[in-house]
Amino acid sequence: MSAAKRVQQWATFARTWHIFDCKWQDPYQSAEVIKKYLLGMHKPIYHPMNDCGDVVVCINSREIALRGNDWRQRAYFHHTGYPGGATWTLAWEVHNKDPTMIIKKAVYKAMRGNLQRRHTMQRLFIYPGEEIPEDIVQNVTNQIRQLRLVPTRLDHIDEEEVKKFPKVMDYPTDYVLK
Amino acid sequence: MSLLLKNSYSLIKNAIVSTSLRTLSTTNQLRLKEIREHKEGSTVVLEGVFVPSPRTELLVRAENVKESPHICPNTCYMCALDLDVKHTDVLILSQFVRSDGCMLPRRITNLCPRQQKKIGKLVTMAQKAGLMINLTPSYCKKDPKKRYGFKKFNTYFDEKTIFMKRIPKPTDRFER
């Protein structure tokens, strides 16, 4: 085997580390993308019996965005196993307790429920903020593209730029500005 | 007796205050209609002046922008422009809003009912997502992360959830 082929062999079967910024991302939509990287479905050598999945590091999981009124309407179910042990926790209460829980559950739910699922979840690292341990940062070689654009707040835009921006609406002549 | 006292008090108060109170203002820079005061010899002249709007030079209209505008005369300017406005386009939405973040009424925005309703909903979405936090009432905490309960977390909206079916079309006007 030539040197080039040998390197190709390593590159094919090595685990790649991907980073994903969850800022203003929908966890349930991004779980579908993260799942593909965790299982290795983005590779041409993919096969369900083939252990070719990658590692994904999610950062800023505290900054995820849910759609519409999902924060107060989506409930997470848990049952202790005892009679009357059922609890329903709203998404914002779950997020208050553990800011990594929602994205973790979303990825877990996106995958098929087989024996591999819990082992695949071991390859998912989630951090609530931007601080990651140094040994994990060193492994990362790829970034997964965000699904949604991070919106810009109006007070973060320059006042000059806001004034110079082309206008659509004009006031009537007798309007008194407030 | 107490009524008499009250009346006399208000009379005195009026006498003091009315001399210093003026309902006409002369120095407000923001007004499109302004009242100016100047002296000609011994007479003081007060005149109401229309001030040019700061927006007229930057105004975008479909007839100036589009190559071949075949615009129906009844459509409003937003329908004619045919922009795909999202709730994150705060630079556009902030033009339809008062300084306390309240949507302007239709007699001022001059929109058709359909667009007025749509943009009103987009403004609400932008405010709930905390994207126009500087255009809020004075008692508002100016940081979306200090809001109460579920409101402190990031929220995004889907524009498809605006029920455009319930909002009247311009052609519906004569079908009632």
Side-chain angles (χ1 to χ4, degrees), chain A residues 94 132 168:
Chain A
V94 173
I132 324 171
V168 181

Side-chain angles (χ1 to χ4, degrees), chain A residues 2-60:
Chain A
S2 70
K5 276 282 175 192
R6 197 161 66 232
V7 172
Q8 194 187 19
Q9 180 86 353
W10 287 341
T12 309
F13 291 103
R15 286 204 199 281
T16 319
W17 287 57
H18 306 269
I19 198 163
F20 182 72
D21 191 353
C22 299
K23 203 173 218 175
W24 282 94
Q25 303 302 305
D26 187 306
Y28 311 104
Q29 286 170 11
S30 41
E32 294 295 322
V33 178
I34 292 169
K35 172 191 104 174
K36 288 190 177 171
Y37 284 90
L38 280 178
L39 296 170
M41 287 162 100
H42 62 297
K43 296 178 179 179
I45 60 163
Y46 171 74
H47 188 270
M49 303 289 286
N50 178 359
D51 184 20
C52 63
D54 286 347
V55 184
V56 178
V57 182
C58 291
I59 59 166
N60 281 329

